[in-house]
Amino acid sequence: MDSAPRVAVVGGGVVGMTVIRVLQAELPRAQVTLIAENLGDDTTSCVAAGIFRPGTSFRGPTPEITQRWIDDSWRYWQDILRTADAPRAGVTELGAYIFSRDNYHVTRNHLIEKLVPVYREVQDDELRLCAGDWRHGSYFSTVKIGCDNYLPWVERSFLRGGGKILREKVASLSTLGGQYELVFNCTGMGAKLLCGDHDLVPLRGQVLRVRAPWLKTAFYGDYDTYVIPGAGGAVTLGGVRQYDSYDLSVSPHDTAAIRERCEALLPALRGAELLAQRVGLRPHRVPVRVEAELGWSPVVHCYGHGGYGVTCAPGTALHAVRIGLDLLRGNTRSKI
Ligand SMILES: Cc1cc2nc3c(=O)[nH]c(=O)nc-3n(C[C@H](O)[C@H](O)[C@H](O)COP(=O)(O)OP(=O)(O)OC[C@H]3O[C@@H](n4cnc5c(N)ncnc54)[C@H](O)[C@@H]3O)c2cc1C
């Protein structure tokens, strides 16, 4: 009678939600419970601009695994993009320019140059699309994932597929032993306490959302300056990257600096109505932790995606689920 493995996924950000979606597809007979202190808009994932653009600080245990995570992630987002559900899932195509005054290399991205349909150096006239004395630039095509749509979209399909959700804080992963045959730990910065992981460090970020419906292309300038259009005419302006800061309050100083840098890049943003200001702690870890730990019940960790969790949640989730399925096969072969 007891034929369906009981699996818990702790964490309801983009990583945990992607794990439950992959799990339901790979192991439809499992009884999956999502346990999360916060969901939807209250997660770091919903602070993110959500552009698919891995950076060099995103690292797996080897360069090959890092690249596989990125490639698998791109395919996952493309698969959703090709369905009629893409707008409901918050996945859209986006073009982006990246400019630099004196560093050619920051405009290149070896992780995606052969992956995305277009990644090219800009023509001289394109350097003048933004105000300022830009000398180097690239244009690339990518996708943007609005987590405010993606997370509830996954949640709805998870519940339809028989999944359960518990809205609570887990004090210790060992308390889940006995109740579940397998646990996925997708708690982002929460893993710092749950695992006593000193390698996990917050990179504080702050963004503004302004109304600028005319803007259809993303722009990056120097010093972490970015302007990324999203749904409904809202545009994300950023940003800051403050190492080891746990401050979740909106800093008026950061607000002023972000507006000044973004308006210097795109003067047409001056006077754009301010819709929201958000702060989030990027869970930075090198390498991103995707591995099993055998304790009271086996745990598969999947956290530490830093500033690239929306980009790379799918590739890491696929890897984590594969590890989990292997564990279940070894421990409870009859239940698969
Ligand atoms: C300003 C900013 C801009 C960003 N822009 C981008 C971008 O453009 N592209 C990109 O790819 N990435 C971007 N990121 C990074 C991205 O947001 C993160 O990498 C990603 O959100 C991490 O997802 P996560 O699911 O691991 O964590 P989270 O979204 O933080 O989710 C963690 C989940 O675990 C739960 N949890 C934690 N501890 C416990 C516990 N003890 N018990 C129960 N539940 C617990 C939380 O409640 C939450 O549900 C940005 C981040 C910031 C801050």
Side-chain angles (χ1 to χ4, degrees), residues 10-16 35-39 42-53 168-171 186-191 194 203-207 220 226 228 240 278-283 302-312:
V10 188
V14 67
V15 176
I35 309 172
E37 185 181 11
N38 296 309
L39 287 170
D42 297 329
T43 62
T44 307
S45 302
C46 275
V47 177
I51 193 166
F52 182 96
R53 179 180 174 245
E168 61 190 42
K169 182 170 184 164
V170 172
C186 311
T187 51
M189 274 313 300
L194 277 178
L203 283 181
R204 179 183 176 278
Q206 181 171 321
V207 288
Y220 288 85
Y226 52 86
I228 300 177
V240 292
R278 301 292 306 270
V279 174
L281 307 182
R282 304 172 179 95
C302 190
Y303 65 82
H305 298 64
Y308 309 102
V310 182
T311 300
C312 294

Side-chain angles (χ1 to χ4, degrees), residues 53-56 105-114 119:
R53 179 180 174 245
T56 47
H105 296 285
V106 302
T107 72
R108 306 305 304 259
N109 190 328
H110 72 276
L111 296 166
I112 58 168
E113 284 185 11
K114 294 196 179 111
Y119 204 113

Side-chain angles (χ1 to χ4, degrees), residues 4-313:
R6 286 161 294 143
V7 180
V9 177
V10 188
V14 67
V15 176
M17 297 308 271
T18 306
V19 165
I20 61 171
R21 185 164 185 264
V22 173
L23 251 181
Q24 273 192 330
E26 297 283 323
L27 194 56
R29 291 192 305 112
Q31 292 174 19
V32 183
T33 304
L34 173 74
I35 309 172
E37 185 181 11
N38 296 309
L39 287 170
D41 208 37
D42 297 329
T43 62
T44 307
S45 302
C46 275
V47 177
I51 193 166
F52 182 96
R53 179 180 174 245
T56 47
S57 67
F58 177 80
R59 286 195 218 145
T62 66
E64 292 74 26
I65 291 175
T66 308
Q67 193 63 56
R68 196 180 77 215
W69 287 347
I70 293 167
D71 295 356
D72 287 348
S73 297
W74 175 257
R75 278 190 285 273
Y76 176 96
W77 295 124
Q78 289 297 306
D79 284 349
I80 295 177
L81 193 62
R82 282 194 287 266
T83 67
D85 239 16
R88 275 184 291 275
V91 184
T92 48
E93 283 179 302
L94 184 67
Y97 282 98
I98 172 160
F99 294 127
S100 178
R101 285 196 172 77
D102 43 35
N103 189 345
Y104 166 74
H105 296 285
V106 302
T107 72
R108 306 305 304 259
N109 190 328
H110 72 276
L111 296 166
I112 58 168
E113 284 185 11
K114 294 196 179 111
L115 186 65
V116 298
V118 180
Y119 204 113
R120 60 167 177 82
E121 279 185 48
V122 296
Q123 313 277 329
D124 282 352
D125 57 339
E126 289 174 291
L127 287 173
R128 291 188 288 279
L129 284 172
C130 285
D133 183 18
W134 303 104
R135 291 182 48 226
H136 309 286
S138 292
Y139 173 85
F140 62 102
S141 55
T142 187
V143 291
K144 181 190 174 328
I145 302 98
C147 279
D148 43 351
N149 285 308
Y150 175 70
L151 303 188
W153 178 75
V154 175
E155 185 180 320
R156 287 192 296 273
S157 112
F158 175 67
L159 293 172
R160 275 198 309 272
K164 280 194 215 142
I165 297 181
L166 299 178
R167 187 84 188 253
E168 61 190 42
K169 182 170 184 164
V170 172
S172 154
L173 292 173
S174 63
T175 60
L176 303 175
Q179 298 176 63
Y180 301 97
E181 281 130 289
L182 181 62
V183 175
F184 288 88
N185 172 21
C186 311
T187 51
M189 274 313 300
K192 182 139 188 116
L193 274 180
L194 277 178
C195 305
D197 188 338
H198 299 298
D199 293 333
L200 186 63
V201 179
L203 283 181
R204 179 183 176 278
Q206 181 171 321
V207 288
L208 319 182
R209 300 246 152 82
V210 300
R211 179 174 298 287
W214 46 270
L215 194 73
K216 303 293 180 204
T217 309
F219 291 91
Y220 288 85
D222 287 327
Y223 311 114
D224 258 326
T225 304
Y226 52 86
V227 176
I228 300 177
V235 173
T236 302
L237 310 185
V240 292
R241 204 173 283 258
Q242 293 154 353
Y243 189 84
D244 208 16
S245 167
Y246 288 82
D247 185 359
L248 279 167
S249 59
V250 170
S251 151
H253 171 78
D254 287 339
T255 301
I258 290 168
R259 268 211 107 126
E260 191 177 310
R261 283 187 277 125
C262 291
E263 289 172 4
L265 189 69
L266 285 177
L269 286 170
R270 278 187 198 128
E273 180 194 351
L274 180 64
L275 301 173
Q277 306 189 67
R278 301 292 306 270
V279 174
L281 307 182
R282 304 172 179 95
H284 174 69
R285 188 182 193 275
V286 177
V288 178
R289 189 173 187 201
V290 180
E291 65 181 6
E293 188 176 6
L294 301 178
W296 288 97
S297 62
V299 175
V300 182
H301 300 287
C302 190
Y303 65 82
H305 298 64
Y308 309 102
V310 182
T311 300
C312 294

